[in-house]
Amino acid sequence: MEEFEKIWSQIKSRLQISLDTDVYNEHFAHISNVFKVVNNYVYLIAPNSFVKNKIESFYLNRLNALLNEYVQEKHMFKIITKDQAAEELAKREGPYAINVPEKDLEEKYKTGLNNSYTFENFVVGSSNRLAYTSAMKVADQPGGFANPLYIFGEVGLGKTHLMQCVGNYILENDVNKKVLYVKTDQFIEDFGKAAQKKSYDDFSKKYEDIDVLLVDDIQFLSGKNQTQLEFFKIFEKHEENNKQIVITSDRKASELFDIMSRLTSRFEWGLSVDINRPNLEHRILILKKKLHAETQDPDLISDEILEYIASVFDNNVRELEGALKRVLFYCTAFDYKFSVENAQEALKSLLNSKNAGNHKVDTINYMNILDIVSNYYNISTSDLLSKNRQKKYVFPRQIGMYILKDIYDLTYKKIGQIFNNRDHSTVIYSIEQISNDLQIDKTKKNDVDKLLIKCGKK
Ligand code: ADP
Ligand code: MG
């Protein structure tokens, strides 16, 4: 542990020299200690989920590369939020024992699936047809058609979606089937915990007492020898019993780095299928499907606009989807006409960062501000904008309104429109409420000051 504290402080010094001061201060200056080191993961605590997400998206590879200059065995950083750390501390009984509450035991038998990923809403084209048909067959005959099914491809192209379709489809046909979807990180963590407690019962039950195992992003097993061995055992057992296994990865099995060959060769025994980038027509079809899912009126956005979006976002379906949502949000919230010009305007900051080759957003606009506020309070932007009256949403929502007013001086009416067409009197009331709060509550004032800085004010 002490060793890692030292390493972290050296890495910090190097980051301080190589990064812009603002970037360094925002992301790294406040991360002082190493929280724990488990299973070759070095845990750092980010002050909130916004910083956590940014580090994960933009700096994690670099951090890991630096870290591995100092250690012999491969290690990786894992970023958690203050809240997650606090939760974990609360669960610990003594200095070493981790107490697993009942609730967690229940969690272990959950499928982990998101039921919105279905074959119906997966758009097929030449880049993913083979993967799609193979997944369909596997879902139709679990354990009978190809085992394991190994799906690989770059990020954001639909691997997770397709893998979850398999699980959802199987469950739909037979509710008694025990399906487990798990990210490789989770598997590593579960095994680490079991090893730490020297008690493997829960772990075995979770991973062995099932019919279908879906393991996402297997490349993260890289360098984890013990965990690989354990995975190998589970894998063998399921294969022997004709239990279906589906695996995804960012590369071919033969190109996996630092994963034992007896495992990678087993991956190749089954069926390997890749997903590639969709072409323009395919991207437009994906946008149409997503548009259908988002609105009642599929003609809301013309083909010309969809074509424009599809032509700009050409390498990743997740980005493509994000761009569409942004255009939808921008034009509805501000009552702008759906036109190519307005779509361009809505996507300006994304395009700037895309074209500039870095992710620094130069024009922080209101949508970013709403993202910043919701991230800060650990809720989703759609909850922030929704009419949900739960306390955990109401307060951040009022703060969001207050900050929009403060920075852009938008009219109350406009702010009301942005927040799901609320009446302007609600907005006035919310902003007044926050203004009063700030005069008497130092913590809230502190939070708002921090948020204002993050949002580009001051
Ligand atoms: P990956 O696991 O390959 O990184 P995901 O499965 O998470 O990618 O996909 C990213 C997003 O793109 C998801 O929201 C998913 O629904 C969507 N997506 C990807 N491919 C398709 C497709 N062919 N049809 C519909 N949606 C897709
Ligand atoms: Mg994925």
Side-chain angles (χ1 to χ4, degrees):
M1 203 38 200
E2 235 178 65
E3 180 201 354
F4 284 97
E5 300 271 17
K6 268 197 209 128
I7 295 177
W8 172 237
S9 91
Q10 289 180 13
I11 292 181
K12 264 177 83 175
S13 315
R14 287 171 66 178
L15 291 171
Q16 195 166 15
I17 297 166
S18 61
L19 293 172
D20 279 348
T21 315
D22 284 349
V23 174
Y24 173 81
N25 285 342
E26 180 181 348
H27 299 92
F28 302 108
H30 303 295
I31 303 183
S32 41
N33 301 320
V34 171
F35 176 57
K36 63 174 182 181
V37 182
V38 179
N39 219 16
N40 291 15
Y41 272 110
V42 180
Y43 287 72
L44 299 177
I45 306 178
N48 55 52
S49 59
F50 180 66
V51 173
K52 168 177 147 70
N53 293 342
K54 283 189 66 181
I55 296 179
E56 284 172 345
S57 309
F58 306 131
Y59 301 106
L60 202 55
N61 287 342
R62 182 159 164 185
L63 290 180
N64 286 335
L66 288 171
L67 174 61
N68 285 296
E69 286 180 28
Y70 293 90
V71 288
Q72 301 224 308
E73 205 186 345
K74 190 167 174 195
H75 279 69
M76 281 196 272
F77 279 116
K78 191 166 192 115
I79 315 295
I80 58 174
T81 59
K82 256 189 194 156
D83 290 349
Q84 287 170 318
E87 217 171 274
E88 178 170 333
L89 284 176
K91 280 183 198 162
R92 282 189 199 172
E93 249 174 11
Y96 301 109
I98 293 184
N99 173 25
V100 183
E102 286 296 309
K103 192 172 125 274
D104 279 16
L105 290 175
E106 269 170 40
E107 296 272 317
K108 287 200 167 37
Y109 303 101
K110 286 198 173 153
T111 64
L113 288 169
N114 171 345
N115 62 12
S116 62
Y117 289 128
T118 61
F119 283 120
E120 287 75 39
N121 60 26
F122 189 83
V123 183
V124 188
S126 54
S127 62
N128 59 21
R129 183 164 288 114
L130 181 63
Y132 174 85
T133 17
S134 310
M136 275 285 240
K137 285 191 179 156
V138 161
D140 217 28
Q141 312 164 44
F145 172 70
N147 208 9
L149 174 65
Y150 184 94
I151 307 172
F152 66 97
E154 290 169 23
V155 69
L157 296 182
K159 301 181 297 293
T160 299
H161 185 142
L162 203 52
M163 156 182 266
Q164 295 222 10
C165 295
V166 173
N168 284 320
Y169 184 96
I170 292 175
L171 273 179
E172 236 171 69
N173 284 306
D174 183 353
V175 284
N176 294 320
K177 277 267 186 311
K178 287 191 190 154
V179 177
L180 178 66
Y181 164 86
V182 67
K183 292 184 197 301
T184 298
D185 280 354
Q186 182 67 50
F187 182 84
I188 295 170
E189 202 173 311
D190 287 348
F191 179 65
K193 278 187 185 158
Q196 206 177 31
K197 285 190 300 183
K198 296 202 169 41
S199 138
Y200 295 88
D201 290 354
D202 290 342
F203 178 81
S204 307
K205 199 163 167 54
K206 174 170 175 180
Y207 288 100
E208 290 174 10
D209 188 15
I210 50 173
D211 302 308
V212 179
L213 179 61
L214 313 169
V215 185
D216 207 358
D217 286 324
I218 200 77
Q219 71 273 8
F220 292 128
L221 270 190
S222 161
K224 304 256 164 319
N225 296 353
Q226 281 301 105
T227 322
Q228 287 173 26
L229 264 180
E230 190 60 33
F231 185 73
F232 183 72
K233 281 191 229 154
I234 294 172
F235 185 95
E236 273 208 312
K237 212 173 247 177
H238 287 322
E239 267 211 326
E240 271 165 24
N241 295 312
N242 280 339
K243 304 261 174 88
Q244 182 67 47
I245 301 167
V246 184
I247 290 168
T248 69
S249 168
D250 67 349
R251 65 199 77 185
K252 281 188 188 141
S254 59
E255 289 169 5
L256 282 167
F257 172 72
D258 226 347
I259 293 192
M260 49 183 65
S261 57
R262 70 172 120 158
L263 201 49
T264 54
S265 65
R266 290 305 264 279
F267 296 161
E268 289 175 318
W269 282 6
L271 176 65
S272 278
V273 288
D274 61 342
I275 301 190
N276 293 298
R277 296 182 188 179
N279 61 22
L280 181 67
E281 284 71 35
H282 190 179
R283 294 200 298 278
I284 296 174
L285 288 178
I286 293 176
L287 285 176
K288 287 193 171 162
K289 192 89 174 183
K290 300 282 174 194
L291 184 61
H292 253 290
E294 294 286 330
T295 83
Q296 309 284 8
D297 176 11
D299 295 326
L300 193 64
I301 300 192
S302 67
D303 284 0
E304 193 196 1
I305 299 173
L306 295 182
E307 256 182 70
Y308 165 72
I309 301 175
S311 65
V312 187
F313 293 87
D314 55 0
N315 59 11
N316 176 321
V317 182
R318 187 175 292 133
E319 277 179 19
L320 187 67
E321 201 177 346
L324 175 70
K325 284 194 179 150
R326 207 171 170 99
V327 171
L328 269 172
F329 172 69
Y330 181 82
C331 293
T332 2
F334 298 104
D335 231 359
Y336 293 149
K337 194 167 109 259
F338 281 100
S339 64
V340 173
E341 292 70 38
N342 284 334
Q344 275 168 344
E345 193 57 35
L347 298 174
K348 204 161 77 184
S349 63
L350 293 182
L351 292 173
N352 280 343
S353 56
K354 215 168 136 73
N355 297 339
N358 66 39
H359 296 270
K360 214 168 180 179
V361 182
D362 51 2
T363 41
I364 294 194
N365 58 25
Y366 1 88
M367 280 181 285
N368 289 344
I369 288 189
L370 298 175
D371 288 343
I372 291 172
V373 174
S374 47
N375 265 314
Y376 189 82
Y377 288 104
N378 238 330
I379 62 176
S380 71
T381 308
S382 55
D383 282 330
L384 184 83
L385 297 171
S386 76
K387 299 209 157 154
N388 192 319
R389 299 285 314 152
Q390 279 183 51
K391 211 169 157 194
K392 66 175 174 192
Y393 303 131
V394 173
F395 179 65
R397 189 176 298 140
Q398 292 182 335
I399 296 272
M401 293 180 180
Y402 177 89
I403 288 180
L404 278 189
K405 185 75 189 162
D406 192 286
I407 296 190
Y408 289 104
D409 198 21
L410 299 179
T411 61
Y412 294 118
K413 186 164 167 228
K414 200 136 231 164
I415 297 179
Q417 281 169 354
I418 297 175
F419 284 83
N420 231 317
N421 275 328
R422 281 186 170 72
D423 194 74
H424 75 284
S425 60
T426 315
V427 179
I428 295 176
Y429 168 78
S430 304
I431 292 178
E432 273 177 5
Q433 181 94 9
I434 295 294
S435 306
N436 291 339
D437 279 356
L438 295 187
Q439 289 179 8
I440 46 175
D441 189 332
K442 268 211 175 124
T443 323
K444 283 184 187 163
K445 169 104 179 54
N446 230 332
D447 279 354
V448 171
D449 283 345
K450 271 196 239 154
L451 274 168
L452 283 168
I453 293 171
K454 275 185 199 301
C455 294
K457 181 149 186 202
K458 296 181 182 173

